[in-house]
């Protein structure tokens, strides 16, 4: 158990819908990351938050947004869903902003768009 | 742009033998970090081992060791005494440097299958 929790574990929804994925980092970790794992794109970094502020952005679509709340949990919002958004979405956390030698992943949320 | 290459899509190893999973990387940064993760069929990503670019010693964690050859830009994972439970996907990843954040760039992965 990495100490990072994600809910829900599975999500099935229709095209055009909007969903919210939730993540709680390990105790004491200030950085939260979101990654997407799909068959065609592999594992891709989406976005990093550190202590409530967005700090780095990767290949995140404009239809996707995220935030980190004062209690450090984070949410990833996916809207206008398309079939290609079906993937495993991971949240990860680490202690600091940069230079960390550990980054622990949650169990993931498997999103299926039908 | 950073790039991680894992050239072995799949590998077999006999139980109790050692196996090396290859990883090469490309970066112009002087400061970077290299990670290995294991992803079993259940889907979770399990952190295995870390090597910093300035670390002079190769990292080791139990049966896992990282064969770090900086000049060749390679960071191969060595698993000693393979067990059936080692069957999984293995991903090599590199961390961006400095204040740019901790985001990881992943390779395509290697599927390891341990034969009894």
């Amino acid at each position: 158990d990495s100490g990072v929790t994600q809910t829900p574990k599975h999500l099935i929804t229709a095209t055009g819908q909007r969903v919210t994925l939730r993540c709680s980092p390990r105790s004491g970790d200030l950085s939260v990351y979101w990654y997407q794992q799909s068959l065609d794109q592999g594992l891709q970094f989406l976005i990093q938050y550190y202590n409530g502020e967005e700090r780095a952005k990767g290949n995140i679509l404009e239809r996707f947004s995220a935030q980190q709340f004062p209690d450090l949990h984070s949410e990833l919002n996916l809207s206008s869903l398309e079939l290609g958004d079906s993937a495993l979405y991971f949240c990860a956390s680490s202690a600091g902003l940069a230079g960390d030698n550990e980054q622990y992943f949650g169990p993931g949320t498997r999103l299926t768009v039908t | 742009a950073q790039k991680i290459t894992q050239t072995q899509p799949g590998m077999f190893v006999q139980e109790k033998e050692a196996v090396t999973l290859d990883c090469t990387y490309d970066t112009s940064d002087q400061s970077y970090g290299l990670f290995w993760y294991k992803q079993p069929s259940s889907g979770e990503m399990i952190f295995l081992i870390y090597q910093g670019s300035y670390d002079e010693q190769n990292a080791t964690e139990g049966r896992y060791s990282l064969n770090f050859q900086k000049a060749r830009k390679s960071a191969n994972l060595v698993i000693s005494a393979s067990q059936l439970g080692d069957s999984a996907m293995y991903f090599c990843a590199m961390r961006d440097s400095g204040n740019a954040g901790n985001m990881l760039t992943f390779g395509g992965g290697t599927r390891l299958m341990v034969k009894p």
Side-chain angles (χ1 to χ4, degrees):
Chain A
D1 186 349
S2 67
V4 180
T5 61
Q6 287 187 250
T7 56
K9 199 169 177 61
H10 301 277
L11 201 47
I12 302 174
T13 190
T15 54
Q17 295 299 305
R18 182 179 192 275
V19 296
T20 297
L21 313 184
R22 184 189 168 103
C23 166
S24 292
R26 289 192 319 156
S27 176
D29 284 357
L30 297 180
S31 271
V32 168
Y33 315 81
W34 287 97
Y35 292 87
Q36 179 195 58
Q37 185 178 30
S38 62
L39 283 174
D40 53 345
Q41 299 286 338
L43 259 163
Q44 288 194 105
F45 166 74
L46 296 179
I47 198 163
Q48 176 190 359
Y49 277 82
Y50 175 77
N51 204 21
E53 293 189 10
E54 180 187 308
R55 296 309 299 253
K57 224 168 182 176
N59 296 324
I60 187 166
L61 299 172
E62 285 192 13
R63 301 183 285 109
F64 296 0
S65 65
Q67 53 184 330
Q68 186 180 27
F69 295 87
D71 67 351
L72 300 178
H73 91 271
S74 177
E75 292 180 356
L76 178 67
N77 300 297
L78 315 176
S79 61
S80 303
L81 285 167
E82 302 175 0
L83 295 178
D85 297 328
S86 296
L88 187 52
Y89 290 85
F90 286 107
C91 168
S93 74
S94 71
L97 169 62
D100 285 345
N101 60 4
E102 292 176 336
Q103 189 169 132
Y104 290 94
F105 281 66
T109 292
R110 187 169 295 280
L111 173 67
T112 303
V113 182
T114 61
Chain B
Q2 299 182 334
K3 187 176 178 181
I4 298 282
T5 302
Q6 295 180 253
T7 57
Q8 307 151 312
M11 287 189 69
F12 284 95
V13 65
Q14 199 67 41
E15 192 179 8
K16 299 180 186 175
E17 292 186 351
V19 63
T20 298
L21 307 184
D22 294 341
C23 172
T24 58
Y25 59 91
D26 186 22
T27 181
S28 56
D29 295 333
Q30 295 301 309
S31 174
Y32 52 89
L34 296 154
F35 297 71
W36 276 92
Y37 287 86
K38 172 184 178 182
Q39 186 176 40
S41 57
S42 52
E44 73 263 39
M45 294 286 286
I46 303 168
F47 169 67
L48 295 179
I49 197 166
Y50 168 85
Q51 179 84 41
S53 58
Y54 293 121
D55 295 341
E56 294 187 354
Q57 303 259 8
N58 284 342
T60 60
E61 288 287 347
R63 294 186 300 110
Y64 304 108
S65 61
L66 202 152
N67 184 1
F68 181 46
Q69 298 187 46
K70 196 170 181 177
R72 296 180 63 183
K73 294 189 175 179
S74 75
N76 298 338
L77 177 71
V78 181
I79 306 174
S80 62
S82 297
Q83 302 172 356
L84 295 178
D86 294 335
S87 294
M89 282 290 289
Y90 288 81
F91 291 94
C92 178
M94 181 163 59
R95 184 199 67 222
D96 199 3
S97 67
N99 294 323
N102 274 324
M103 60 280 217
L104 301 179
T105 300
F106 284 86
T110 295
R111 181 172 298 281
L112 178 66
M113 291 151 283
V114 181
K115 297 186 289 185

